[in-house]
Amino acid sequence: MSTAYGNWLRQQREAAGLTQQQLADMALMTRSHIAHIEAGRRLPSREDARRLDAALNTGNVLSSFLPEKEPAVADYFEAARSLEQQAVMIREFAMSFVPGILQTEAYARAITATSFPPVSEAECDRLVVTRLERAKILDDPVTPVVWALIDEAVLRRGAGGREVMAEQVAHLVDMAEVGRVRLHVLPFAAGRHPLMEGMLSLLEFQDQPSVAYTEGIGMGKLHDSPSMVRTLETRYALALSDALPLQESLALLRGIARDLERHG
């Protein structure tokens, strides 16, 4: 995110003698949204930027200097990770790997160790620790609410060998059985679906607009345009409608875990 952009907004707000709440009221936004923008954790939508310009009498500066393009995923995911920690509801779609917050340590290490370009053992350790730190949001028994929609390919294409996959699949079953995660498998039999282009995370918050994060090969993007978020939410809903119900999904997962353990 743009810290310079947020700093400039804060300077203009303070020069106008406004508190964050007063500016939020004038721009029809929430105080926390203003705070996240000033801290560099969020960028306003174009409509938000227009209202901020009007409230601060800054012409079209905030609108004109709103960044057009977002950074690539390696650096940019820090912003998505920060928002993940604030979300009250997370809906994940996984096309290639188990969602990060649901990964076991062994699984996370296996997929990190096979990345390209290769990473050192120390860097692998750092990345795995970061992944496990993200999962701590599930320590709270209620918030965030998590739905995981997982393509069957994620479960069939082993990572790290049978033992690692058996442990990972069992972990998914455990999380779903205790009700911490609502889990659905999108089976091969569903054929083509609206989310085949890559992974998707939908993040909802208590007092700020929803965002979506998409990821492909070597690239990721955080979307806060309301129209784009709605489009991605609709795609998720359509794909979910083709998924197996919860109990059928769990039965499939248990069967996969048994096969992995039996032939391990």
Side-chain angles (χ1 to χ4, degrees):
M1 287 291 177
S2 175
T3 303
Y5 188 96
N7 286 340
W8 195 85
L9 171 62
R10 176 179 52 76
Q11 291 166 8
Q12 298 307 306
R13 174 180 61 76
E14 292 176 347
L18 298 173
T19 65
Q20 289 181 338
Q21 186 60 61
Q22 289 170 330
L23 178 57
D25 292 341
M26 294 172 66
L28 304 179
M29 298 167 66
T30 64
R31 188 208 62 78
S32 62
H33 197 183
I34 298 291
H36 288 310
I37 294 170
E38 291 187 356
R41 293 189 294 266
R42 297 287 300 270
L43 286 172
S45 67
R46 296 225 165 261
E47 179 58 24
D48 286 341
R50 185 192 66 75
R51 290 199 300 267
L52 287 169
D53 272 327
L56 293 168
N57 197 27
T58 50
N60 65 348
V61 175
L62 288 164
S63 301
S64 298
F65 289 93
L66 190 63
E68 293 287 346
K69 296 182 179 180
E70 307 291 359
V73 63
D75 296 327
Y76 188 68
F77 187 70
E78 272 304 309
R81 183 167 70 111
S82 175
L83 292 172
E84 184 180 66
Q85 303 298 307
Q86 304 166 36
V88 297
M89 183 170 186
I90 300 173
R91 285 175 286 171
E92 297 271 15
F93 168 68
M95 185 73 185
S96 302
F97 302 112
V98 171
I101 59 175
L102 300 179
Q103 292 178 7
T104 65
E105 179 177 354
Y107 182 92
R109 188 171 299 279
I111 62 175
T112 302
T114 56
S115 61
F116 185 86
V119 297
S120 67
E121 185 174 346
E123 178 66 4
C124 182
D125 288 340
R126 187 185 69 81
L127 294 171
V128 170
V129 168
T130 299
R131 190 72 53 87
L132 297 177
E133 285 291 322
R134 288 173 54 200
K136 288 185 177 180
I137 60 175
L138 299 177
D139 290 347
D140 186 304
V142 178
T143 305
V145 175
V146 177
W147 290 4
L149 176 59
I150 299 179
D151 195 288
E152 186 174 351
V154 175
L155 308 169
R156 300 293 186 184
R157 183 177 293 110
R162 290 181 176 275
E163 184 176 344
V164 169
M165 278 305 298
E167 179 191 34
Q168 176 62 74
V169 173
H171 177 64
L172 293 175
V173 172
D174 289 343
M175 296 296 284
E177 285 182 336
V178 300
R180 187 61 187 84
V181 174
R182 181 80 182 186
L183 192 148
H184 296 275
V185 176
L186 193 56
F188 290 140
R192 294 184 59 82
H193 58 80
L195 296 178
M196 292 189 71
E197 297 171 34
M199 68 80 71
L200 169 67
S201 294
L202 299 169
L203 307 176
E204 297 180 26
F205 308 93
Q206 187 71 43
D207 56 0
Q208 54 185 304
S210 299
V211 300
Y213 177 76
T214 55
E215 190 170 301
I217 299 177
M219 291 291 293
K221 184 175 178 63
L222 194 64
H223 306 268
D224 61 5
S225 162
S227 61
M228 176 57 75
V229 173
R230 284 195 299 271
T231 295
L232 293 171
E233 288 175 337
T234 301
R235 286 193 178 199
Y236 188 95
L238 289 171
L240 182 61
S241 71
D242 288 332
L244 297 176
L246 174 62
Q247 293 305 320
E248 291 183 29
S249 295
L250 286 176
L252 176 60
L253 285 165
R254 293 187 191 104
I256 291 173
R258 284 195 299 271
D259 288 343
L260 289 166
E261 292 167 355
R262 186 180 305 120
H263 299 101

